[in-house]
Amino acid sequence: MTGGGKDLERLIEMSEAATPEQARLRDLVQSSSGVEVSDGAKQQIYMKVLAQREGRHRKRFALLRPAFVLGVILLAAGATAATALGHRWMEQRRRPAAAALAPAEPRARVEAPRGEVALAPVEIPATAPETLRPHTPRTRPRSEDPSAVVNALEALRKQHDPDRAAKLLAGYLAAHPKGALAEEALALSIEAATARHDPAASAFARRYLRDYPTGRFRQTAQAVLERQQSYGAR
Amino acid sequence: MAVSEHPWPVSSVPGRERAAVDVDVRDFKAVYDRWVLEVARWIRAMGGPAADRDDLLQEVFVVVHRRLPDFDGENLPGWLYRITAHQVRDFRRKLWVKHIFSRSVPLTESMPAPGPTPVMSVESRQKRDFLDGLLSSISVPLRTAFVLFEIEGYTAEEIARIQGAPLNTVRARILRARKKLSALIEASR
């Protein structure tokens, strides 16, 4: 068997082609060489992969830094609270003994307000700075999926459904504000908003001109803004 | 040491042999060294543009590097193939969107390849371009099976294993691809 099946032979191993077209196909296959990757290219790609991963690791550590600071603060606060409570407890243990030795002492002093001395639990206000807030677990950065933009394009141009397109594009732009297709997504958002007679079209246009001042769709964005200004002037 | 449990058979096609070497699947460098060429072949078979092959290889192995600690060690070629297929599909989609907008980015893989083009004879280059044009006219499953079997020297079993498809399906795809390509050649005359 050649090539994985008793009845399946490779074209280049056939002694005779069945048809002139098959002979031509065999000739084409014979002239087509297999893929090769040079050692230099291999090494270069390997270094790029490691460099890219290193960059992502650094970003991840940068994200973990606030959590580390928060952990240290909580530990310090816990240790302080534990020390204060320990002192208070020791004092209270000592006082009854002292009262027994000196009965003339007023009782009220021995029964000092116990409830008031308890330390309030450490709470972090909602308005605390970022570093003090509990660290919410962040999801691992996922590789970019362009399906949303592709589907939005189809929804807009083929299915004439600008509502769906707008939702898909909003999702993509929220997930990948600097994505490979962010410029196209923003341009499509202008188109979708215009189709829906949504005033957000001008906001998208302004955002486009701000993010891509020399972009390919700047004329479209400018036209949308001009149209809006002319409506406003009427 | 976690070793890939599926040894890779050696191709019978002269000049297109592949060493049957098991690698430690926890060792990224070993996986990279052993599989980078195979992944490059799959990218070509799937229709990834030759001019962007290195970028695609990089994307594939960035994903491999990230996911390798979670890989269960079962069928390393199949696992790599699926990652490659996803990356090539995403890349083609991005390219398609760019193409729709700019109309300047060629979608087919007939872009000039960084290779020995100056020394390549005009005739063989024309043949290669012609074959690439034909291949871009058939579906990706047919194209992949055909290129891996006929050009890259894979066996049908190897293709079935990496694609996770039944052997008979792979054989049928190769035969259908031949038929369609022959019909296209006939039509082009």
Side-chain angles (χ1 to χ4, degrees):
Chain A
M1 178 180 82
T2 308
K6 277 175 186 171
D7 53 347
L8 195 59
E9 217 178 0
R10 284 196 177 81
L11 285 172
I12 55 171
E13 291 166 343
M14 286 178 180
S15 52
E16 215 170 284
T19 59
E21 287 76 31
Q22 203 173 62
R24 170 84 171 128
L25 186 57
R26 187 175 63 180
D27 181 41
L28 291 172
V29 167
Q30 262 172 341
S31 68
S32 185
S33 55
V35 170
E36 292 303 329
V37 182
S38 70
D39 287 344
K42 263 189 207 173
Q43 187 64 21
Q44 204 176 3
I45 295 164
Y46 181 72
M47 297 311 290
K48 280 183 183 172
V49 169
L50 293 189
Q52 200 167 333
R53 291 297 301 156
E54 184 64 24
R56 285 187 189 177
H57 271 298
R58 274 194 203 135
K59 272 187 196 165
R60 204 169 297 162
F61 283 129
L63 292 175
L64 287 173
R65 211 171 295 144
F68 176 74
V69 170
L70 176 68
V72 169
I73 290 171
L74 285 177
L75 267 177
T80 312
T83 312
L85 279 173
H87 273 294
R88 190 64 66 177
W89 183 75
M90 289 293 285
E91 261 179 39
Q92 281 169 0
R93 290 277 302 224
R94 250 183 259 133
R95 274 176 194 165
L101 286 172
E105 283 285 312
R107 265 185 92 78
R109 198 171 163 191
V110 177
E111 291 169 0
R114 296 179 74 158
E116 286 176 20
V117 296
L119 286 182
V122 179
E123 279 184 19
I124 299 164
T127 52
E130 185 70 30
T131 49
L132 287 178
R133 283 188 210 148
H135 180 72
T136 48
R138 288 170 194 262
T139 50
R140 181 185 281 183
R142 295 181 59 191
S143 61
E144 194 182 319
D145 180 10
S147 314
V149 183
V150 175
N151 293 339
L153 189 60
E154 283 178 352
L156 195 59
R157 301 267 173 90
K158 286 187 185 170
Q159 295 150 14
H160 306 291
D161 185 356
D163 293 338
R164 185 166 166 261
K167 273 182 199 164
L168 288 166
L169 292 164
Y172 176 85
L173 286 170
H176 311 289
K178 302 279 178 197
L181 297 175
E183 185 182 356
E184 284 79 5
L186 206 47
L188 278 175
S189 298
I190 298 171
E191 196 177 321
T194 309
R196 298 163 68 207
H197 305 290
D198 184 348
S202 52
F204 282 124
R206 272 194 292 276
R207 183 176 158 190
Y208 181 87
L209 291 172
R210 186 195 65 207
D211 292 353
Y212 308 97
T214 57
R216 285 175 292 160
F217 313 106
R218 64 182 181 281
Q219 286 176 341
T220 311
Q222 280 163 349
V224 168
L225 288 177
E226 281 166 14
R227 204 178 312 149
Q228 192 218 18
Q229 279 167 0
S230 67
Y231 281 138
R234 276 180 203 171
Chain B
M1 185 178 85
V3 173
S4 173
E5 289 180 7
H6 294 268
W8 197 242
V10 183
S11 166
S12 58
V13 177
R16 293 172 192 179
E17 299 87 354
R18 292 183 302 283
V21 180
D22 286 343
V23 294
D24 177 5
V25 296
R26 302 284 165 236
D27 181 357
F28 174 72
K29 179 81 168 78
V31 171
Y32 177 83
D33 285 342
R34 168 64 188 85
W35 290 99
V36 65
L37 181 57
E38 302 303 330
V39 172
R41 287 170 170 161
W42 300 341
I43 287 171
R44 186 250 182 110
M46 290 168 191
D52 296 305
R53 190 197 61 195
D54 287 3
D55 288 343
L56 272 165
L57 273 174
Q58 185 184 331
E59 288 300 316
V60 168
F61 279 99
V62 165
V63 176
V64 170
H65 193 287
R66 190 174 71 227
R67 295 196 187 158
L68 203 55
D70 304 325
F71 175 53
D72 60 7
E74 290 284 324
N75 193 2
L76 179 62
W79 183 71
L80 290 171
Y81 186 86
R82 284 194 296 278
I83 292 174
T84 309
H86 278 124
Q87 291 299 318
V88 172
R89 186 200 59 194
D90 284 357
F91 186 85
R92 288 177 70 85
R93 281 179 175 176
K94 279 180 199 166
L95 216 57
W96 179 74
V97 173
K98 298 262 181 202
H99 174 71
I100 292 289
F101 279 99
S102 67
R103 303 272 174 198
S104 62
V105 182
L107 257 184
T108 67
E109 48 291 331
S110 57
M111 291 167 82
T117 350
V119 292
M120 204 185 279
S121 74
V122 175
E123 193 190 5
S124 66
R125 201 166 62 208
Q126 279 175 342
K127 279 182 184 173
R128 187 177 166 164
D129 287 349
F130 182 58
L131 182 61
D132 281 345
L134 294 177
L135 289 170
S136 66
S137 306
I138 61 174
S139 70
V140 173
L142 298 191
R143 177 205 165 99
T144 311
F146 181 85
V147 173
L148 290 178
F149 182 77
E150 300 286 4
I151 299 174
E152 299 296 352
Y154 281 65
T155 64
E157 284 93 344
E158 287 172 335
I159 300 169
R161 192 179 305 142
I162 59 171
Q163 291 185 336
L167 182 58
N168 283 337
T169 304
V170 172
R171 287 182 184 157
R173 283 175 182 166
I174 295 165
L175 293 174
R176 275 169 56 207
R178 278 184 194 167
K179 213 177 250 183
K180 287 203 168 190
L181 292 169
S182 297
L184 287 168
I185 289 171
E186 193 180 6
S188 70
R189 282 183 175 168

